[in-house]
Amino acid sequence: MLSSSSSGPSPSASSSAYALAALVGVATTFGLRIQQRHQRNLKSRRRKSNSSGCGGGGGGDDTSADTTVSVEGSVMVTLPTWAIASSSEYFSRRYTTDAEMMSLAIHLSDRNVSEGTGGPFGSAIFERHASGGYCTLVSIGMNRVVPLGNSTLHGEMVAIQLAQRKVGSFTLRMDGDDDGDNDGDQHSGLFYDDDNNDGKDDDRNIGKESAATCTIIDDSATPSGRRERRFELFTSCEPCAMCLGATLWSGASRIVCGATKEDAQSIGFDEGPVYERSYEHLKNCGVEVTRNVLTEEAASVLRRYGNSGVIYNR
């Protein structure tokens, strides 16, 4: 597992610059300022009966109200400064096993507690590369509920929002880059074609995905051998109801969990209506589910936080 105090390896100039730029950009403002001006002209008129023969010209009162409504719609989603400072360490390497990727998620949860920058939950989204049997980091997230005063900023939610911003899409179910440079190249549609693989090895011979290693699923059943990009969400604890729903809508191909729902509830968190059939629904929608990866390591962070941390239920 990554150490909270680790300074990390020296990254290549290009990858570290790209990752740092992406993370600095994640001090992201999703904002909308709406100003509406309503003008109301209310007219009251006294009407006199013309039949009275009194000439009823009917003067009347003109009343107009000028109302301005200002709606502050800015929501800021930021990573802690320590996460940005450590970005080179996280983004410069290739990941090959579930344990490596879960270790990063757990490290983020642990560091978040140590630094006092949020709750004991960390997440990371990786892209699986078809030609090399490895994964690269796309985004990281950690719980920011209390520091940013936003009940929706769970670790998974932060990672999903930043990943979608990075790839420039509302869904992670998309076509694109498989040349290993993580530069976000895209082709039309949800899939890219084998003809666009620039002569690289045909990954369809690599074989089925192993639960323990980042290899490639045999997707010869997809139309014309085209393949979808694969983004995988690793989270230090099984998601709450909100984050499990967000996983489905995010377009992630796979979710991998560390600690259990029971581990989170044991220190006082309310995870909401999450059931076994919730995970079955994900599977039925094509999302792979892997649970209990480095469970004890992840649960130990929860227990440590439970001794003194804020339990921020509704």
Side-chain angles (χ1 to χ4, degrees):
M1 185 184 299
L2 290 168
S3 168
S4 297
S5 60
S6 172
S7 61
S10 299
S12 66
S14 60
S15 61
S16 62
Y18 181 86
L20 187 56
L23 276 176
V24 170
V26 305
T28 312
T29 301
F30 300 95
L32 172 64
R33 179 180 292 271
I34 305 172
Q35 195 165 61
Q36 300 174 319
R37 183 173 295 272
H38 299 282
Q39 293 187 347
R40 298 175 181 176
N41 295 318
L42 304 175
K43 294 183 178 180
S44 295
R45 295 181 178 179
R46 295 177 183 175
R47 297 181 178 179
K48 295 182 180 180
S49 173
N50 290 329
S51 61
S52 65
C54 297
D61 297 332
D62 259 353
T63 305
S64 48
D66 200 3
T67 305
T68 299
V69 178
S70 180
V71 179
E72 292 293 337
S74 296
V75 177
M76 182 168 287
V77 181
T78 60
L79 295 179
T81 54
W82 62 261
I84 296 175
S86 302
S87 62
S88 296
E89 175 187 1
Y90 306 148
F91 283 85
S92 62
R93 58 173 296 192
R94 294 180 175 184
Y95 298 79
T96 58
T97 68
D98 282 0
E100 289 176 334
M101 291 181 276
M102 182 56 71
S103 288
L104 175 59
I106 296 172
H107 163 76
L108 295 171
S109 70
D110 183 64
R111 185 79 183 269
N112 208 36
V113 172
S114 298
E115 299 286 347
T117 50
F121 303 97
S123 298
I125 293 179
F126 299 85
E127 180 168 10
R128 184 180 293 253
H129 293 281
S131 26
Y134 64 90
C135 297
T136 52
L137 183 61
V138 177
S139 71
I140 59 175
M142 60 289 300
N143 185 286
R144 300 283 281 152
V145 168
V146 174
L148 297 183
N150 187 332
S151 63
T152 70
L153 296 184
H154 292 195
E156 298 94 332
M157 302 294 287
V158 173
I160 288 169
Q161 291 182 61
L162 300 185
Q164 290 178 340
R165 181 171 177 84
K166 184 172 182 178
V167 303
S169 171
F170 66 89
T171 178
L172 299 177
R173 184 179 182 270
M174 57 189 298
D175 73 334
D177 184 18
D178 197 22
D179 53 12
D181 58 8
N182 203 29
D183 61 4
D185 299 338
Q186 294 185 19
H187 309 292
S188 61
L190 284 176
F191 300 91
Y192 73 90
D193 205 301
D194 281 339
D195 293 338
N196 291 315
N197 204 23
D198 299 329
K200 291 185 170 55
D201 294 337
D202 187 348
D203 61 278
R204 284 177 292 173
N205 295 324
I206 294 178
K208 296 285 186 180
E209 177 192 31
S210 163
T213 62
C214 186
T215 55
I216 301 303
I217 287 181
D218 180 355
D219 44 20
S220 57
T222 58
S224 304
R226 294 178 302 173
R227 280 186 241 82
E228 192 179 319
R229 290 178 76 174
R230 290 182 54 82
F231 294 91
E232 304 187 359
L233 170 61
F234 280 69
T235 179
S236 64
C237 183
E238 292 176 347
C240 69
M242 174 181 69
C243 295
L244 199 63
T247 300
L248 173 63
W249 289 108
S250 72
S253 302
R254 184 182 181 219
I255 181 172
V256 182
C257 309
T260 66
K261 171 185 174 182
E262 290 72 25
D263 291 325
Q265 291 179 330
S266 69
I267 64 170
F269 283 113
D270 181 357
E271 297 299 273
V274 178
Y275 311 107
E276 286 304 313
R277 65 177 180 271
S278 305
Y279 289 99
E280 289 302 316
H281 185 83
L282 286 183
K283 294 175 184 178
N284 292 338
C285 291
V287 180
E288 296 176 52
V289 177
T290 303
R291 298 158 75 182
N292 301 311
V293 176
L294 301 183
T295 302
E296 179 53 34
E297 292 89 334
S300 67
V301 178
L302 294 174
R303 290 193 294 269
R304 181 162 69 89
Y305 181 85
N307 292 331
S308 58
V310 176
I311 305 300
Y312 40 82
N313 294 323
R314 64 188 186 282

